[in-house]
């Protein structure tokens, strides 16, 4: 009877796996703060892509971890940079079994760890950053990425990237706008995953956790600029914002169950304080119930196998 009357269901195709690929390593490196998650080599990435395809999930989101960084994130636009090389490898391995997506942000590639280039005063220069994003978009699309995840939260980023893509003939490359991305305390393990060089914080361009209406306003701006998909991030602490955005959007709305959300459940389960599998399914169901059409989660492959 419960199964018959359930209002919300999970399906493998609604799950997307974030994947980290690190330059200069010979074997996968465990991420200490994210049990069960690794930084992949290019070779192990291929195995991860095949596992994801076999599990029937919807796609993977690639993050690159370069060996060297500079002030403008040059590696992000280098055709031989780790993220673009990994994208070509993943696309070649996945075929049409998975949607290969890429993170379009400078934070992994800059020596200061911010999501954009800095001005003389050390502040993020929004408009100069948009020029870098345009170049990144073309490099990633050329490498075969099917969806570009604009996670930097720069004003005007969707319009700038859409214009660049269309101008070079990449009209079929979709734009995933991180429309409501909050300056959250739940990103800590991710910083280890990408070897972040960040000093300080990102509160000047990410949203205040106290503001609900602002999330909706940002989503409307991205809709007007031509986004194909909207993202709310993090997921679990912002289900109200997710519900608001889903209520006004006529395009797909996704949510990112971020590293801190993953790690705190894994830590509680390791201590025997919660039923791990039940809690994982409950959190994903709550995100879908709030309005997410798809969820980025580090449990994507594991949960997909449960569902099948």
């Amino acid at each position: 009877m419960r199964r018959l009357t359930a209002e919300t269901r999970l399906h493998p195709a609604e799950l997307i796996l974030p994947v980290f690929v690190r330059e200069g390593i010979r074997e996968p490196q465990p991420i200490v703060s994210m049990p069960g998650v690794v930084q992949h080599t290019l070779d192990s990435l291929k195995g991860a892509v095949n596992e994801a395809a076999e599990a029937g999930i919807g796609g993977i989101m690639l993050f690159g971890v370069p060996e060297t960084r500079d002030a403008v994130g040059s590696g992000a636009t280098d055709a031989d940079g780790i993220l673009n090389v990994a994208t070509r490898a993943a696309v070649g391995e996945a075929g049409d079994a998975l949607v290969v997506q890429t993170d379009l942000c400078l934070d992994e590639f800059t020596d200061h760890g911010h999501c954009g280039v800095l001005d003389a005063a050390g502040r993020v220069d929004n408009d100069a950053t948009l020029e870098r994003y345009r170049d990144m978009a073309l490099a990633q699309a050329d490498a075969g990425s099917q969806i570009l995840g604009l996670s930097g939260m720069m004003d005007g980023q969707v319009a700038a990237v859409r214009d660049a893509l269309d101008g070079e003939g990449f009209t079929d490359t979709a734009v995933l706008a991180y429309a409501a991305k909050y300056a959250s305390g739940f990103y800590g393990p991710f910083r280890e995953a990408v070897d972040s060089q960040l000093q300080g914080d990102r509160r000047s361009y990410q949203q205040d956790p106290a503001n609900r209406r602002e999330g909706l306003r940002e989503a409307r701006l991205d809709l007007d600029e031509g986004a194909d998909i909207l993202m709310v991030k993090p997921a679990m602490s912002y289900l109200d914002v997710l519900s608001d955005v889903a209520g006004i959007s006529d395009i797909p709305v996704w949510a990112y169950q971020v590293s801190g959300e993953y790690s705190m459940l894994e830590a509680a389960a390791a201590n025997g304080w919660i039923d791990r599998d039940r809690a994982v399914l409950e959190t994903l169901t709550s995100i879908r119930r709030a309005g997410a059409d798809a969820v980025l989660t580090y449990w994507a492959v594991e949960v997909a196998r449960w569902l099948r």
Side-chain angles (χ1 to χ4, degrees), residues 108-133:
E108 297 105 296
F109 298 93
T110 55
D111 55 13
H112 46 73
H114 277 287
C115 298
V117 296
L118 306 182
D119 63 18
R123 298 168 300 194
V124 172
D125 186 326
N126 189 97
D127 291 353
T129 299
L130 293 184
E131 292 305 312
R132 295 291 296 135
Y133 284 4

Side-chain angles (χ1 to χ4, degrees), residues 126 130 133 150 153-162 222 225:
N126 189 97
L130 293 184
Y133 284 4
L150 277 60
M153 286 298 289
M154 297 296 120
D155 292 339
Q157 62 182 10
V158 172
V161 165
R162 185 73 267 162
D222 286 346
E225 290 180 21

Side-chain angles (χ1 to χ4, degrees), residues 11 20 22 61 96 121 147 161 163 178 207 222 225 273 276:
H11 189 280
F20 304 101
R22 182 162 191 163
M61 174 67 76
D96 60 359
I147 300 178
V161 165
D163 177 69
Y178 284 55
Q207 291 175 251
D222 286 346
E225 290 180 21
W273 297 335
R276 175 186 180 272

Side-chain angles (χ1 to χ4, degrees), residues 6 9 20 35 38 41 92 103 107 131 134 142 146 154 178 187 196 215 223 230 239 244 252 265 285 294 298:
R9 304 179 194 277
F20 304 101
V38 302
T41 66
D103 180 60
D107 60 327
E131 292 305 312
R134 290 170 63 93
D142 189 61
Q146 295 162 285
M154 297 296 120
Y178 284 55
Y187 300 144
S196 174
L223 279 171
L230 299 178
L239 295 180
D244 289 346
L265 262 68
T285 301
Y298 299 97

Side-chain angles (χ1 to χ4, degrees), residues 35-283:
V37 181
V38 302
Q39 296 170 328
H40 283 284
T41 66
L42 287 171
D43 283 338
S44 69
L45 167 65
K46 295 176 182 179
V49 169
N50 284 317
E51 282 187 0
E54 289 170 5
I57 69 170
I60 58 171
M61 174 67 76
L62 297 176
F63 296 85
V65 186
E67 281 191 288
T68 60
R69 299 172 168 89
D70 59 26
V72 297
S74 298
T77 48
D78 183 350
D80 294 322
I82 184 59
L83 181 54
N84 296 320
V85 171
T87 301
R88 290 194 291 272
V91 169
E93 199 70 24
D96 60 359
L98 287 172
V99 177
V100 176
Q101 309 159 46
T102 46
D103 180 60
L104 198 158
C105 191
L106 287 172
D107 60 327
E108 297 105 296
F109 298 93
T110 55
D111 55 13
H112 46 73
H114 277 287
C115 298
V117 296
L118 306 182
D119 63 18
R123 298 168 300 194
V124 172
D125 186 326
N126 189 97
D127 291 353
T129 299
L130 293 184
E131 292 305 312
R132 295 291 296 135
Y133 284 4
R134 290 170 63 93
D135 292 342
M136 282 185 72
L138 297 179
Q140 291 182 4
D142 189 61
S145 177
Q146 295 162 285
I147 300 178
L148 309 184
L150 277 60
S151 63
M153 286 298 289
M154 297 296 120
D155 292 339
Q157 62 182 10
V158 172
V161 165
R162 185 73 267 162
D163 177 69
L165 291 171
D166 291 350
E168 293 298 322
F170 293 109
T171 54
D172 291 335
T173 305
V175 172
L176 164 61
Y178 284 55
K181 182 178 179 181
Y182 284 83
S184 171
F186 287 103
Y187 300 144
F190 180 89
R191 305 275 164 82
E192 179 192 351
V194 298
D195 189 26
S196 174
Q197 307 300 300
L198 180 67
Q199 300 294 320
D201 58 59
R202 296 173 177 149
R203 289 185 293 178
S204 65
Y205 49 97
Q206 293 180 354
Q207 291 175 251
D208 184 347
N211 293 352
R212 177 175 179 174
R213 292 191 302 271
E214 184 183 11
L216 199 57
R217 177 176 180 271
E218 291 287 344
R220 286 194 174 104
L221 288 171
D222 286 346
L223 279 171
D224 291 343
E225 290 180 21
D228 298 294
I229 307 164
L230 299 178
M231 177 80 86
V232 175
K233 180 181 179 181
M236 292 164 57
S237 295
Y238 299 90
L239 295 180
D240 56 340
V241 178
L242 173 58
S243 179
D244 289 346
V245 172
I248 61 98
S249 178
D250 57 0
I251 62 174
V253 176
W254 294 1
Y256 197 145
Q257 189 177 46
V258 299
S259 60
E261 296 172 304
Y262 171 89
S263 295
M264 69 181 182
L265 262 68
E266 288 287 353
N271 280 283
W273 297 335
I274 61 171
D275 180 328
R276 175 186 180 272
D277 296 359
R278 183 178 177 183
V280 168
L281 287 173
E282 185 175 338
T283 60

